[in-house]
Amino acid sequence: MNRVKEYQEMIETALSEIELPEVPKSLYDPIRYFLSLGGKRMRPTLSLLCTSLFRAVDENDAKMASSIELFHNFTLLHDDIMDEAPLRRGKETVHEKWDPNIAILSGDALMVKAYQQLAGTEVNLKQILDMFNRTSLEVCEGQQMDMDLEGKADSTKVEYLEMIRLKTAVLLGYSCWLGGKVGGADASSCKKLYEIGINAGIAFQLMDDYLDAFGDPESFGKVPGGDIRSGKKTILWFLANEEASAAKKELLASIYQQNSRDTEEVENVIDLFKELNLEEKIQGMIDQRFEKVKELVGSISAGEGAKDELLSYFRKLGKRKS
Amino acid sequence: MNRVKEYQEMIETALSEIELPEVPKSLYDPIRYFLSLGGKRMRPTLSLLCTSLFRAVDENDAKMASSIELFHNFTLLHDDIMDEAPLRRGKETVHEKWDPNIAILSGDALMVKAYQQLAGTEVNLKQILDMFNRTSLEVCEGQQMDMDLEGKADSTKVEYLEMIRLKTAVLLGYSCWLGGKVGGADASSCKKLYEIGINAGIAFQLMDDYLDAFGDPESFGKVPGGDIRSGKKTILWFLANEEASAAKKELLASIYQQNSRDTEEVENVIDLFKELNLEEKIQGMIDQRFEKVKELVGSISAGEGAKDELLSYFRKLGKRKS
């Protein structure tokens, strides 16, 4: 994984070189703070791995890729306000450390910084901007669908999958697409790269859902059932509603309708999920998407070494918390 | 003012043609609603008047100019949340009619729509995008400075003027600049157009400040002293602090430090402003900027008719509430 580490460092450098004025402090300090919270910079790393399919990666590519990280952080910053989240990566969120108004405004400025970073080059600018705009809007749509689904009693698995496609997967699709575009890939390869990102993105989200109920607490690093406890509907909830008997469905609904769920109830829900064989079912959904990723990567004409590197990064991400 | 009316209609058409999907309803309905609240579309109209200095205006120009209106509405939508404003143009604000989360997210989406509208053409895209990004960031900085100034006891007139330059004037500067750029103006004319917008923008804001204290209630359409009543520091507050005796300054500070101000106190403050001859002083500041606008317009090589039209629009805007 040497190349991944190298790319991550290039991205950190690109991020650290982004000009953020000293004043107004309360506009730019929250941005500096939020970017300093780190993370594995998955999206821009993926983007550079996709560029490397076609040619050697350079600093300008890292600058371009870092615009994705800026955008991603903007969405997190605003999502944290909407979710009233106290913590982000174990540290205070911006609206907690400062206040919601500052979080709204510094989020706005961070979004502009993403566009500024993207406008660093004139090559293919119109095409890249169009794709970025489309993706950004879709991410907003996904976030809105997520908020809507929570309050909607008759939501379906199809809606849930569409929500995670928009909220999570399209940005990975864009990341891979951008990497190819910047690397000089032809339209057909770019399209495949986009689909690779979409499939991987959905698979990662399904895996998160899976791990919440079935993950090994020790390697997973947190107590399972968090989503169930907070009443968040994940793919498991939708699958259970498809598979369960009428009586069990009613039980599930009654548990989720409560204001909160205790440990016993969480365990009952997990037991029900197990009874319905959801472990296997969701694993099948994940495998199917990773198979698609493998197939698509295989079909791109690029160096085998770089393709292996990309696939191995996907595998690493896929194993991250299981 | 026939041409202005024609341009306003072209802008309304461009705005009505912007694609806004039906779903998610709670993302796009607030945008539709906010854009339907109307307004005189001053910024894009100005932009088209500047294009008309160099050539006949067409529908594509109106599309480009309407991106400014989208951006402006995005800033209003988010500012309304931060200011906890109940009304916008006499109608419920988005965060009141829906909720703050929906207002944050639909504002975000509206900003992306502004970029999407701007990316409608490839001509000069990089230059336009760079200028738009710079302007957008400055508007964020201005809004943050505005929030900061409220809580800052030792703020100065210079800071206030810088705040209104960023919060209000740079977007007018950009509007005029964009109009010239799109119309094929040379770099020197574009620079002048930018300065025209800056000077006009500052003058308009100073005029708002002026009218709040000295406006004729009948033609102004609202009770004077609203800014004083709400404790908002405008240019008058800063000028008064420069001009007043130590005793009067203390009086002023004590009135503004209170949680609220009654009618008598508002009248006392207006009397103090009058005593200090601020009417004349602020009028001088406004005139100086309009003189600069006239001088700059005069120095651009373009048709006299179109230049007159632009100046007459500035005059009309300058008289709008006095």
Side-chain angles (χ1 to χ4, degrees), chain A residues 21 23-28 74 78-79 81-83 101-102 104-105 108-109 111-113 115-116 118-122 125-126 129-130 133-134 136-137 140-141 143-145 147-148, chain B residues 21 23-28 74 78-79 81-83 101-102 104-105 108-109 111-113 115-116 118-122 125-126 129-130 133-134 136-137 140-141 143-145 147-148:
Chain A
V23 290
K25 266 179 82 64
S26 24
L27 184 67
Y28 291 113
F74 143 73
H78 275 190
D79 285 3
I81 312 172
M82 299 183 227
D83 300 340
N101 284 353
I102 285 179
I104 293 173
L105 197 60
D108 292 345
M111 191 192 203
V112 179
K113 291 303 289 185
Y115 277 100
Q116 212 169 39
L118 180 151
T121 171
E122 201 151 359
L125 181 58
K126 162 92 172 120
L129 185 57
D130 283 344
N133 285 331
R134 179 187 129 180
S136 304
L137 270 182
C140 291
E141 291 172 8
Q143 169 68 4
Q144 187 60 53
M145 276 187 82
M147 301 199 291
D148 290 344
Chain B
V23 289
K25 266 180 80 64
S26 24
L27 184 67
Y28 290 113
F74 143 72
H78 275 191
D79 285 4
I81 312 173
M82 298 182 227
D83 300 341
N101 284 354
I102 284 178
I104 293 173
L105 198 59
D108 292 345
M111 191 193 201
V112 179
K113 290 304 290 186
Y115 277 101
Q116 212 169 39
L118 180 150
T121 169
E122 201 151 0
L125 181 59
K126 161 95 172 117
L129 185 58
D130 282 344
N133 284 331
R134 181 188 128 182
S136 304
L137 270 182
C140 291
E141 290 173 8
Q143 168 69 4
Q144 187 60 54
M145 276 186 82
M147 301 199 291
D148 290 344

Side-chain angles (χ1 to χ4, degrees), chain A residues 118-220:
Chain A
L118 180 151
T121 171
E122 201 151 359
V123 186
N124 291 319
L125 181 58
K126 162 92 172 120
Q127 245 187 307
I128 292 174
L129 185 57
D130 283 344
M131 189 66 164
F132 182 63
N133 285 331
R134 179 187 129 180
T135 305
S136 304
L137 270 182
E138 287 177 337
V139 172
C140 291
E141 291 172 8
Q143 169 68 4
Q144 187 60 53
M145 276 187 82
D146 194 12
M147 301 199 291
D148 290 344
L149 279 181
E150 290 302 309
K152 202 164 163 269
D154 60 345
S155 50
T156 66
K157 187 181 80 178
V158 172
E159 285 174 309
Y160 179 77
L161 287 170
E162 177 63 0
M163 183 277 281
I164 63 175
R165 186 182 74 83
L166 293 168
K167 182 169 171 165
T168 305
V170 295
L171 192 57
L172 268 78
Y174 169 77
S175 302
C176 294
W177 176 92
L178 179 71
K181 192 80 217 164
V182 162
D186 60 24
S188 146
S189 300
C190 286
K191 198 162 171 255
K192 284 175 183 171
L193 287 167
Y194 185 77
E195 287 305 318
I196 287 168
I198 293 284
N199 277 281
I202 294 175
F204 292 148
Q205 185 56 54
L206 293 178
M207 204 152 36
D208 273 351
D209 292 356
Y210 172 93
L211 291 171
D212 183 70
F214 308 124
D216 169 14
E218 253 174 63
S219 53
F220 184 36

Side-chain angles (χ1 to χ4, degrees), chain B residues 157-307:
Chain B
K157 186 180 81 179
V158 172
E159 286 174 309
Y160 179 77
L161 287 170
E162 176 63 0
M163 183 278 280
I164 63 175
R165 186 182 75 83
L166 294 168
K167 182 169 172 166
T168 304
V170 295
L171 192 57
L172 268 78
Y174 169 76
S175 302
C176 295
W177 177 91
L178 179 70
K181 193 81 218 164
V182 162
D186 60 23
S188 147
S189 300
C190 286
K191 200 163 170 254
K192 284 176 184 171
L193 287 167
Y194 184 77
E195 286 307 317
I196 288 168
I198 293 284
N199 277 281
I202 294 176
F204 291 147
Q205 184 56 54
L206 293 178
M207 204 151 36
D208 273 350
D209 292 358
Y210 172 93
L211 291 171
D212 184 70
F214 307 123
D216 169 14
E218 253 173 63
S219 53
F220 185 35
K222 52 181 179 180
V223 184
D227 288 340
I228 303 168
R229 194 175 298 268
S230 67
K232 190 167 169 54
K233 292 175 193 164
T234 71
I235 192 67
L236 293 164
W237 188 89
F238 290 100
L239 290 174
N241 269 284
E242 277 185 3
E243 306 283 323
S245 64
K248 294 277 184 187
K249 255 161 82 170
E250 223 165 282
L251 174 72
L252 198 65
S254 75
I255 294 178
Y256 271 78
Q257 268 157 21
Q258 291 162 201
N259 283 331
S260 64
R261 282 142 296 275
D262 62 23
T263 305
E264 200 191 322
E265 285 163 333
V266 171
E267 279 168 9
N268 285 342
V269 171
I270 294 182
D271 285 345
L272 174 62
F273 289 167
K274 285 185 177 161
E275 222 172 87
L276 294 169
N277 233 344
L278 298 192
E279 271 189 86
E280 208 174 294
K281 211 170 163 78
I282 191 172
Q283 197 57 62
M285 293 173 76
I286 295 168
D287 288 347
Q288 192 194 342
R289 280 161 181 94
F290 277 134
E291 279 307 312
K292 187 79 196 164
V293 167
K294 263 209 315 227
E295 185 194 313
L296 283 163
V297 172
S299 76
I300 292 176
S301 54
E304 291 304 317
K307 294 206 295 197

Side-chain angles (χ1 to χ4, degrees), chain A residues 47-118:
Chain A
S47 195
L48 293 184
L49 282 166
C50 291
T51 302
S52 80
L53 294 175
F54 307 98
R55 61 162 174 75
V57 163
D58 65 28
E59 282 170 19
N60 283 328
D61 304 327
K63 280 185 192 166
M64 187 58 122
S66 69
S67 69
I68 310 169
E69 190 66 20
L70 296 179
F71 176 80
H72 177 58
N73 277 270
F74 143 73
T75 65
L76 297 179
L77 211 161
H78 275 190
D79 285 3
D80 283 346
I81 312 172
M82 299 183 227
D83 300 340
E84 298 179 18
L87 298 175
R88 165 68 58 189
R89 296 189 177 117
K91 298 276 176 67
E92 270 179 298
T93 44
V94 169
H95 63 98
E96 282 287 330
K97 195 173 161 77
W98 285 271
D99 63 48
N101 284 353
I102 285 179
I104 293 173
L105 197 60
S106 55
D108 292 345
L110 186 48
M111 191 192 203
V112 179
K113 291 303 289 185
Y115 277 100
Q116 212 169 39
Q117 194 73 352
L118 180 151

